[in-house]
Amino acid sequence: MVNVLILGSGGREHALADAIHRSNRLDRLFVMPGNPGMAAIATLIDDDPMNNDVVRSFVIEHHIELVIPGSEVYLRNGIADALQDLDLIVFGPTRQAAEIESSKRYAKDLMRRHAIPTAQYAVFTDYDKAVAYVEQQGTPIVVKYDGLAGGKGVVVATDKEEAIAALDKMLRERTYGTDGVVIEEYLEGPEFSLMCFVVGDILIPMPIAQDHKRLLDGDQGPNTGGMGIYSGVPIIPDEVVDQAMTTIMEPIVKALADDGRPYVGFLYGGLMHTTDGPKVIEFNARFGDPEAEVILPRLKSDLIDVILAVTSGRVPEVRWSSSYTVGVVMASNGYPGTYRKLVPIHGLDKIEGSVYHMGTTIQSGQLVTNGGRVLLVVGQAETLAEAVHQAYANVASIKCDSLMYRRDIAHQSLKR
Ligand code: AMP
Ligand code: GLY
């Protein structure tokens, strides 16, 4: 029996907690700091997971055998390194290996060295040179901040003015910090998220999902952390996923190992199905959010068993449900800009199926909003159309004055 600690407080961590809670191998489950949605299935620890010393003391004192960092911020903060000498499993990469996400420049250079298909690019710290490059390349073009920017550091610029405005923000005003930018060729095609369990040269793919990053219906409006998601993505053929495994996921894991940065944990390929085959948009060093909320409900195997198997060098058989899952994000009006908080939420007790909490808290005994993305409501069924229907029926049960959501989740696959 295993004691588990999950780090984080969002919908992804809620879905991880849910999957761990279903395990027959679980002894005690702790989440630091967690959220109100998990209170029924885990012990919430009101400490700061960004303090590696606090986490270290906690895992020793509570005989934790498995730590799952939810967000990249803990990985970049070196939690895997800080616990490396202890007799436990951290299912997440070291700070250096996590640079596959935290440094776009490192990721792009590694892909270039290993001929892994991705957009052409150039790296800049100098504003004038970056502007000259945009002028020479033309538009559309993509400007990316070369560090963590909470999902907001990417601008797909349709014209020169938009590209230069992004460079102003990133290289002159230093809105996200002091890192440089990567300027990339614009790629076209449907996107998909391919998550794998990775340890050494073992890679186990999960079913793919498709995120909806733009705020509004029809993929309009600003980029967000993700407004909805579905798993089981009929518009992406299985052959393309197989090709992505052999041309992208397997080579990048090998490349990291060859670079002295062996990878452990969930590896996320944000990929695009272009007319030249699958190409990398980005890698993430952790489970996707909201991908976790629709992929993990399809896992029929025991999550602790799978992690213990791969970390001891075995390749387990991992079983997945054939059903489709759809997740609709309910976000505060105003997100990704400013928004009200602490608005009461009612109706969660009327829902059939899962609701994952992304940004909630309890005030005077009442569940209230406490973030930009607040809830993720899941529908699960044997057809995609039925799963969409179920997700929106659940959304309709939730009563809250300040939440909005997209009405077209899964549209790319449904309109076929
Ligand atoms: P990222 O944060 O890197 O996932 O980028 C956010 C979104 O910007 C992606 O999901 C894509 O829709 C878009 N994007 C990023 N890079 C490119 C690219 N090279 N070409 C076209 N779209 C891109
Ligand atoms: N779904 C986007 C992300 O997790 O980065």
Side-chain angles (χ1 to χ4, degrees):
M1 301 299 277
V2 181
N3 291 325
V4 180
L5 172 66
I6 296 172
L7 302 179
S9 62
R12 164 183 44 214
E13 291 76 24
H14 190 174
L16 282 163
D18 201 21
I20 292 287
H21 175 71
R22 292 199 301 271
S23 167
N24 293 321
R25 303 283 293 271
L26 180 65
D27 188 359
R28 298 198 65 194
L29 172 59
F30 301 90
V31 188
M32 185 189 293
N35 71 40
M38 313 171 191
I41 57 171
T43 304
L44 307 187
I45 305 300
D46 190 16
D47 271 326
D48 180 9
M50 286 297 278
N51 186 328
N52 289 340
D53 292 335
V54 164
V55 177
R56 191 180 161 90
S57 303
F58 184 88
V59 299
I60 294 170
E61 193 178 327
H62 292 83
H63 308 287
I64 301 295
E65 288 136 306
L66 171 62
V67 178
I68 307 179
S71 160
E72 65 279 8
V73 296
Y74 312 124
L75 301 165
R76 194 191 203 192
N77 195 38
I79 189 63
D81 310 76
L83 305 181
Q84 210 157 33
D85 60 315
L86 300 179
D87 183 23
L88 54 77
I89 294 161
V90 179
F91 201 64
T94 58
R95 186 204 301 246
Q96 266 208 328
E99 279 196 0
I100 195 68
E101 167 169 7
S102 61
S103 168
K104 293 202 189 289
R105 178 183 188 157
Y106 174 70
K108 293 296 280 190
D109 287 350
L110 196 63
M111 284 186 263
R112 181 180 275 172
R113 277 195 274 137
H114 293 265
I116 292 169
T118 187
Q120 296 302 315
Y121 70 102
V123 181
F124 297 93
T125 48
D126 182 89
Y127 175 81
D128 293 330
K129 286 187 183 149
V131 171
Y133 183 76
V134 167
E135 276 168 354
Q136 176 219 329
Q137 293 290 310
T139 51
I141 199 158
V142 183
V143 180
K144 299 188 175 184
Y145 180 66
D146 186 23
L148 297 179
K152 293 172 197 144
V154 176
V155 176
V156 180
T158 44
D159 56 40
K160 203 174 87 181
E161 288 65 37
E162 212 182 332
I164 290 174
L167 293 174
D168 276 331
K169 221 171 163 179
M170 294 178 198
L171 292 178
R172 278 190 160 164
E173 294 158 27
R174 301 279 186 206
T175 308
Y176 307 115
T178 56
D179 293 309
V181 299
V182 175
I183 303 182
E184 270 184 24
E185 169 198 8
Y186 173 76
L187 298 177
E188 267 177 298
E191 288 178 57
F192 61 104
S193 307
L194 174 55
M195 234 80 43
C196 297
F197 295 94
V198 179
V199 176
D201 54 7
I202 300 176
L203 263 98
I204 301 175
M206 306 186 200
I208 61 169
Q210 189 175 55
D211 198 358
H212 299 61
K213 296 213 172 169
R214 301 293 190 118
L215 182 68
L216 305 172
D217 285 4
D219 297 318
Q220 303 296 310
N223 255 316
T224 69
M227 291 301 294
I229 184 95
Y230 62 107
S231 178
V233 186
I235 47 164
I236 306 293
D238 290 346
E239 297 74 23
V240 173
V241 179
D242 293 345
Q243 195 184 347
M245 284 302 294
T246 52
T247 62
I248 294 170
M249 303 305 283
E250 288 163 12
I252 198 71
V253 167
K254 188 168 182 308
L256 280 161
D258 289 350
D259 221 19
R261 307 179 185 207
Y263 197 91
V264 175
F266 302 110
L267 180 63
Y268 169 136
L271 310 179
M272 196 177 267
H273 173 28
T274 76
T275 48
D276 289 339
K279 292 193 179 179
V280 178
I281 297 291
E282 62 165 354
F283 288 111
N284 291 317
R286 36 75 187 170
F287 225 120
D289 190 356
E291 282 81 351
E293 291 96 307
V294 292
I295 293 175
L296 288 169
R298 297 183 63 197
L299 177 65
K300 290 171 84 176
S301 300
D302 182 312
L303 181 55
I304 294 181
D305 267 347
V306 174
I307 292 176
L308 293 185
V310 289
T311 50
S312 59
R314 283 183 289 120
V315 180
E317 192 208 338
V318 185
R319 288 172 303 113
W320 301 93
S321 159
S322 62
S323 61
Y324 291 84
T325 43
V326 173
V328 178
V329 172
M330 301 183 77
S332 296
N333 289 320
Y335 171 78
T338 54
Y339 47 81
R340 271 167 76 202
K341 281 188 182 178
L342 308 180
V343 182
I345 308 169
H346 298 282
L348 287 196
D349 48 328
K350 304 210 168 47
I351 286 182
E352 286 175 37
S354 305
V355 179
Y356 294 113
H357 292 226
M358 304 182 99
T360 68
T361 190
I362 303 279
Q363 196 185 45
S364 310
Q366 168 65 47
L367 186 72
V368 294
T369 65
N370 192 37
R373 292 185 300 165
V374 175
L375 295 170
L376 182 138
V377 181
V378 180
Q380 185 161 12
E382 282 309 313
T383 67
L384 183 58
E386 181 54 31
V388 168
H389 179 76
Q390 213 196 86
Y392 282 106
N394 284 334
V395 166
S397 303
I398 295 175
K399 305 293 175 218
C400 177
D401 278 348
S402 73
L403 294 181
M404 56 82 65
Y405 56 90
R406 276 181 64 161
R407 286 158 205 273
D408 66 344
I409 301 308
H411 69 96
Q412 287 194 37
S413 284
L414 285 176
K415 76 179 170 222
R416 277 212 313 172

